[in-house]
Amino acid sequence: KQEVTQIPAALSVPEGENLVLNCSFTDSAIYNLQWFRQDPGKGLTSLLLIQSSQREQTSGRLNASLDKSSGRSTLYIAASQPGDSATYLCAAHLNNNDMRFGAGTRLTVKP
Amino acid sequence: NAGVTQTPKFRILKIGQSMTLQCTQDMNHNYMYWYRQDPGMGLKLIYYSVGAGITDKGEVPNGYNVSRSTTEDFPLRLELAAPSQTSVYFCASSYDGGGLAGGPEQYFGPGTRLTVT
């Protein structure tokens, strides 16, 4: 059974710092891995999607990597800003149209 | 495009009551999904649909039913509400559920916060 774990559960950094969020999954047979942002009381906003054949995707200050063999993905945020404060979720898209989510990392960027 | 819309935003139910959570998307997506998110947890898939008239169970389907009579709508039905169904419910859609080329991006609605007491 696919298990998705995110570490740390919470992270607090000063503004301007570069940071890395971690996501691990137990079964490497995935279609893709997707990173989402969730603001309090809101739905999910897709940030980056990495196909199983890709190793990384970039969008602005965000870079996500995928290493299927080790069951890991990272989300790198450069030059963090207070507006980046949110919960970040990773999700592994399984071969049977199922999607397994991690519990998220709650990020706080202090001005 | 409005994207994925959900109604209601909030609801309080008594144990044993029933209700339908509505979900509509205007992106002509084939695939639609229902998830629940418990406090401090990730999302868990309840049901999904690959097109009108076709539905399938996800990870946690017990206590729920769905139907998909049109491409746009994917309502979730709770027949006998229980306290364990207190959660935030998210609907999502995507153009295609997956394939050898890899799965697509999912778009989420704002959620319905349900409390069963």
Side-chain angles (χ1 to χ4, degrees), chain B residues 55-103:
Chain B
T55 62
D56 209 343
K57 296 178 180 179
E59 188 182 2
V60 290
N62 291 343
Y64 307 95
N65 279 300
V66 293
S67 60
R68 184 93 182 273
S69 57
T70 67
T71 300
E72 295 78 19
D73 301 307
F74 190 40
L76 177 72
R77 179 87 178 156
L78 283 71
E79 290 294 350
L80 291 170
S84 61
Q85 294 178 304
T86 294
S87 190
V88 181
Y89 291 83
F90 289 101
C91 179
S93 71
S94 63
Y95 182 70
D96 190 275
L100 293 177

Side-chain angles (χ1 to χ4, degrees), chain A residues 37 63 67 105:
Chain A
R37 168 185 174 137
N63 176 276
D67 184 345
T105 295

Side-chain angles (χ1 to χ4, degrees), chain A residues 1 31-32 34 36 38 41-47 49 51-53 89 93-94 96-104, chain B residues 31 33 35 37 40-43 45 48 50 58-59 90 97-106 108-111 113:
Chain A
K1 181 185 172 185
Y31 268 157
N32 64 42
Q34 197 164 352
F36 295 87
Q38 185 176 28
K42 305 286 187 182
L44 279 67
T45 301
S46 180
L47 298 173
L49 181 148
Q51 302 288 1
S52 61
S53 58
L89 296 163
H93 194 152
L94 309 183
N96 61 349
N97 299 313
D98 199 350
M99 206 158 176
R100 297 297 165 94
F101 283 78
Chain B
Y31 284 65
Y33 313 81
Y35 295 91
Q37 184 179 33
M41 306 289 286
L43 280 70
L45 184 66
Y48 67 95
V50 303
E59 188 182 2
F90 289 101
L100 293 177
E105 189 171 354
Q106 290 194 10
F108 281 76
R113 188 175 298 273

Side-chain angles (χ1 to χ4, degrees), chain B residues 7-58:
Chain B
T7 57
K9 289 190 174 140
F10 304 94
R11 184 71 186 269
I12 299 175
L13 281 182
K14 294 190 185 302
I15 295 172
Q17 286 185 322
S18 61
M19 77 164 293
T20 299
L21 282 66
Q22 302 291 345
C23 175
T24 300
Q25 54 90 10
D26 62 359
M27 297 174 281
N28 201 31
H29 284 169
N30 298 327
Y31 284 65
M32 296 187 73
Y33 313 81
W34 273 106
Y35 295 91
R36 60 176 286 172
Q37 184 179 33
D38 298 324
M41 306 289 286
L43 280 70
K44 294 192 175 181
L45 184 66
I46 305 171
Y47 270 96
Y48 67 95
S49 168
V50 303
I54 306 170
T55 62
D56 209 343
K57 296 178 180 179

